[in-house]
Amino acid sequence: MNTKFAKFVFGAALAVAVFQAVPAMAIGVAPTHVQNKFDTFQVAVLPPVGMLVFCRGHGSQCRADSVSTVAMSPDLLGVLQAINTRVNSSIYPRHDTGRDTWTVGASSGDCEDYALTKRAALIRKGIPAGALRIATTTTRRGEPHAILVVKTTRGDFVLDNLRADVRSLGSTGYRIRTISTRDPRVWAAG
């Protein structure tokens, strides 16, 4: 098969898969009721391909949730810290080679795998899924990076595989490029 034609067919198939996986809300008009910056959005963006593929295979992990924030307390901060520490020490850091695969509970993986595993662990602890957002940013070295953002009544807190401590988003130095909404299949520009 001609290489250019094969690339075209692959690209067309990927585009069809992406647009079938993204809810119409992501492409339509944003809701008018604004609760906080990332609950509704000015600019919808396509989710990362790895997230789309993950959601296709793990629908129960990608359900929309009506709860957008969780009440911050010392107990919650303790849970966030414990999960961050446990997951950071349980996954051996490894970059994906070839296709970017997003996984929950991997023994080795990259930043998306850490973020998804932390999200799943927090949901099991009773934290509302809608308050847990996967976000993309860049590291200080300019490398693409994913983090877990927890939306609380006292602001956004970050669980990061590059840091041992849980910090407020503002103190991390990260600039959010894209972030999931209460529906992890719908993403917004940061």
Side-chain angles (χ1 to χ4, degrees), residues 83-96 101-121 124 146 160-162:
I83 296 294
N84 194 58
T85 300
R86 189 183 87 222
V87 173
N88 283 356
S89 65
S90 70
I91 299 176
Y92 181 79
R94 160 192 66 75
H95 290 291
D96 286 328
T101 304
W102 293 31
T103 308
V104 170
S107 58
S108 66
D110 60 7
C111 53
E112 298 96 356
D113 304 319
Y114 285 88
L116 284 173
T117 301
K118 291 172 187 182
R119 182 177 183 277
R124 283 192 302 273
D160 186 355
N161 66 298
L162 300 179

Side-chain angles (χ1 to χ4, degrees), residues 115-173:
L116 284 173
T117 301
K118 291 172 187 182
R119 182 177 183 277
L122 289 169
I123 291 169
R124 283 192 302 273
K125 290 282 188 182
I127 309 299
L132 306 172
R133 317 291 176 89
I134 307 290
T136 64
T137 186
T138 54
T139 65
R140 289 184 182 147
R141 291 185 268 182
E143 299 167 332
H145 187 51
I147 56 176
L148 180 64
V149 176
V150 181
K151 312 288 289 171
T152 79
T153 54
R154 292 198 188 145
D156 300 342
F157 287 81
V158 173
L159 284 72
D160 186 355
N161 66 298
L162 300 179
R163 297 182 191 267
D165 59 332
V166 173
R167 294 186 177 189
S168 68
L169 177 59
S171 69
T172 63

